[in-house]
Amino acid sequence: MNRAFSRKKDKTWMHTPEALSKHYIPYNAKFLGSTEVEQPKGTEVVRDAVRKLKFARHIKKSEGQKTPKVELQISIYGVKILDPKTKEVQHNCQLHRISFCADDKTDKRIFTFICKDSESNKHLCYVFDSEKCAEEITLTIGQAFDLAYRKFLESGGKDVETRKQIAGLQKRIQELETENTELKNKVQDLENQLRITQVHASPAGSVTPKSPSTDIFDMVPFSPISPQSSTPTRNGTQPPPVPSRSTEIKRDLFGAEPFDPFSCGAGDFPPDIQSKLDEMQVTTERGSKWD
């Protein structure tokens, strides 16, 4: 592993300057991972990192895990590592933080670069596996460095500070997008839980009105406590009040009271009928004495 990018003026690059300065060059590769290294550059440094990550890949393969595929977007602003399906940025390696880049001459599938992490300030070596484009990817990163260096000389160093600010804003935008996605997922989970709760919960305070009990003829039994409706007669006079009776009176099957001629008062019948009733009562009493 012995190639690092160079800035020779007579170097023939693979892409147009506009493609790297205004857009980016995409590549597909397998990502073996990243590991911390002690030095920002050096062939032996990256060789040890590749050996370490290759060994870790063999262990993951034995456990049934596949090496993840990624998309690389190379421009004068840096190298982005994205998920090829969702296009989610996994790592954003700014170009001014990349200190070394090389491909492996013993294994032409492998290429790597060293980048200083913006948060921990540690040097991390990123290792990739590309079956056909390992050398081409290394040259493209070298061309991006050459263009960035020329722009630095033309702007007197101002362009570097501008790119740092842009990179910082891009990182902040990525963090906000990730936070927004997490909040949307939480809101969706809360809505699903609320919907499930409403389905299983019975309506509070609902009381089912009970219908009055009826007799065998589907009629509501008469209750002596219920108020009597005062309906006037045809001549406009009110009917005589119904005499109060004991609540202990038994009723027959049809809800009517049994007739007892002796329980009626003297003024309830005409005189001739009342005298006959009195005679019948006396005769009944005598008969009971004789018995």
Side-chain angles (χ1 to χ4, degrees):
M1 190 173 292
N2 55 9
R3 172 178 289 150
F5 48 79
S6 61
R7 300 190 183 96
K8 295 180 180 179
K9 294 183 179 180
D10 57 349
K11 185 73 175 179
T12 301
W13 299 114
M14 302 182 61
H15 307 284
T16 61
E18 291 77 12
L20 287 168
S21 59
K22 297 182 179 179
H23 303 283
Y24 60 83
I25 305 299
Y27 289 100
N28 293 322
K30 292 182 179 180
F31 185 34
L32 274 68
S34 62
T35 183
E36 183 182 356
V37 292
E38 296 180 357
Q39 300 296 328
K41 59 183 178 178
T43 304
E44 292 298 327
V45 175
V46 295
R47 182 178 295 165
D48 292 339
V50 170
R51 188 182 300 111
K52 178 180 179 180
L53 291 174
K54 277 186 174 181
F55 179 74
R57 181 178 64 171
H58 286 304
I59 295 177
K60 292 180 180 179
K61 278 189 175 182
S62 64
E63 296 175 351
Q65 300 183 22
K66 296 182 179 180
T67 305
K69 296 180 180 181
V70 295
E71 178 183 331
L72 300 176
Q73 294 181 356
I74 303 173
S75 68
I76 62 173
Y77 300 105
V79 179
K80 289 184 179 181
I81 305 172
L82 300 88
D83 184 285
K85 294 182 179 180
T86 63
K87 302 300 180 181
E88 180 183 358
V89 179
Q90 299 177 354
H91 303 277
N92 186 10
C93 302
Q94 302 170 15
L95 199 67
H96 67 277
R97 292 183 175 275
I98 297 177
S99 56
F100 191 81
C101 178
D103 56 272
D104 193 346
K105 290 304 179 182
T106 60
D107 187 353
K108 294 185 178 181
R109 301 166 57 100
I110 301 298
F111 69 95
T112 179
F113 62 82
I114 298 176
C115 179
K116 188 176 182 181
D117 185 66
S118 59
E119 295 181 357
S120 62
N121 287 327
K122 296 179 180 180
H123 291 93
L124 301 177
C125 183
Y126 294 81
V127 181
F128 303 87
D129 183 345
S130 178
E131 184 176 355
K132 299 179 180 180
C133 302
E135 184 178 1
E136 182 179 338
I137 294 173
T138 304
L139 290 174
T140 302
I141 295 176
Q143 184 180 0
F145 264 95
D146 184 74
L147 292 173
Y149 182 69
R150 290 180 183 180
K151 289 179 69 67
F152 171 77
L153 295 177
E154 293 174 358
S155 63
K158 296 179 180 180
D159 187 61
V160 176
E161 188 65 27
T162 303
R163 282 191 277 116
K164 287 183 179 180
Q165 294 178 0
I166 294 175
L169 292 175
Q170 289 177 345
K171 182 179 179 181
R172 181 56 180 164
I173 291 173
Q174 180 182 349
E175 293 175 352
L176 292 175
E177 289 179 350
T178 303
E179 184 179 353
N180 187 30
T181 303
E182 293 176 355
L183 290 175
K184 286 183 179 179
N185 294 334
K186 289 181 180 180
V187 171
Q188 185 65 35
D189 292 339
L190 291 175
E191 289 179 353
N192 294 336
Q193 293 177 6
L194 181 61
R195 193 177 296 110
I196 294 174
T197 304
Q198 291 177 348
V199 169
H200 291 286
S202 59
S206 60
V207 180
T208 305
K210 296 182 179 180
S211 58
S213 58
T214 57
D215 56 10
I216 59 175
F217 297 98
D218 199 23
M219 299 181 64
V220 180
F222 171 77
S223 175
I225 303 177
S226 61
Q228 299 291 333
S229 60
S230 58
T231 55
T233 58
R234 293 182 179 179
N235 55 6
T237 60
Q238 295 289 340
V242 179
S244 61
R245 300 184 181 183
S246 174
T247 59
E248 298 296 332
I249 298 176
K250 297 181 179 180
R251 301 176 182 274
D252 57 13
L253 181 63
F254 301 93
E257 299 178 5
F259 176 74
D260 185 5
F262 301 105
S263 63
C264 300
D268 294 338
F269 300 96
D272 54 342
I273 297 177
Q274 186 65 43
S275 61
K276 292 182 179 181
L277 290 174
D278 293 338
E279 292 177 0
M280 291 174 63
Q281 185 175 5
V282 172
T283 304
T284 303
E285 291 177 354
R286 289 177 180 177
S288 61
K289 289 180 181 180
W290 290 343
D291 292 340

